[in-house]
Amino acid sequence: TRFISLGCPRVDSFLDPEAVQMGLEIPINGLLNDRYAARTSADVRRTLDMKRRRGEFIGSFAPYGYVKDPGNKNALLPDPPAAKVVGEIFTWYLEGLGKGTIAARLNDRGEPNPTAYKAARGENYRRPGPANDGLWTAATVGRVLSNPVYGGTLVQGRQRVVSYKVHQTFSVPPEEWYVVADTPPAIVPPEVLQRAAEL
């Protein structure tokens, strides 16, 4: 195999086989580059943690019911059409409707689920798993009802990547989450969110 490196030092195993067989430049450069990547990753993680502590939203996509503030990408504003649906979900749930019944009512009305809503707005949002059919499910309604952001509390840092080399995610214990109250404007009053949680 011919190995060509255009970086510094420049290496071509065909033109200069000694540089690969006898030289230490490549392993030493590899080690230095790896340390640089590790330091950069740690700096980025510290910056993101600082933003989370301040209650700045760092996600790529705003939660359903919100949009990113055009003047500040780390702030959330209510998205009136989706926020109205969120409010209806809480109202119906407190009136005694089950999650499946709420999902059926939204589907009968032709309301797109959060993934389909974001796609219709032109966002390049994808959820893992099978292709999204745009329909509401009881699980989707349950996620809306249990998300504290709708009561004005931003929760971030629920998952973390293993390292800058291993991009698998793992769940973080709740005591390590970043929870900041009164950060985005509430779509439902906090007492309504609490009542839904009790139910």
Side-chain angles (χ1 to χ4, degrees), residues 48-132:
L48 293 178
D49 286 347
M50 186 174 61
K51 288 186 170 202
R52 288 184 186 110
R53 272 190 222 97
R54 289 196 307 240
E56 296 181 36
F57 180 75
I58 62 165
S60 300
F61 299 95
Y64 178 73
Y66 289 95
V67 292
K68 288 187 175 185
D69 185 343
N72 178 5
K73 66 177 183 172
N74 296 121
L76 298 174
L77 297 173
D79 176 24
K84 178 176 179 286
V85 173
V86 169
E88 289 174 334
I89 289 172
F90 278 92
T91 299
W92 293 335
Y93 192 65
L94 294 185
E95 288 173 355
L97 294 180
K99 297 171 192 171
T101 305
I102 293 172
R105 183 177 282 191
L106 291 169
N107 289 331
D108 289 344
R109 203 166 78 182
E111 206 69 58
N113 70 7
T115 302
Y117 181 79
K118 289 175 183 179
R121 291 174 47 89
E123 297 180 32
N124 190 22
Y125 179 76
R126 300 277 188 279
R127 277 189 64 82
N132 190 281

Side-chain angles (χ1 to χ4, degrees), residues 3-25:
F3 176 81
I4 300 174
S5 166
L6 300 179
C8 185
R10 188 179 184 286
V11 175
D12 186 330
S13 62
F14 178 75
L15 298 178
D16 186 11
E18 295 293 317
V20 177
Q21 294 172 1
M22 305 296 286
L24 293 175
E25 293 95 341

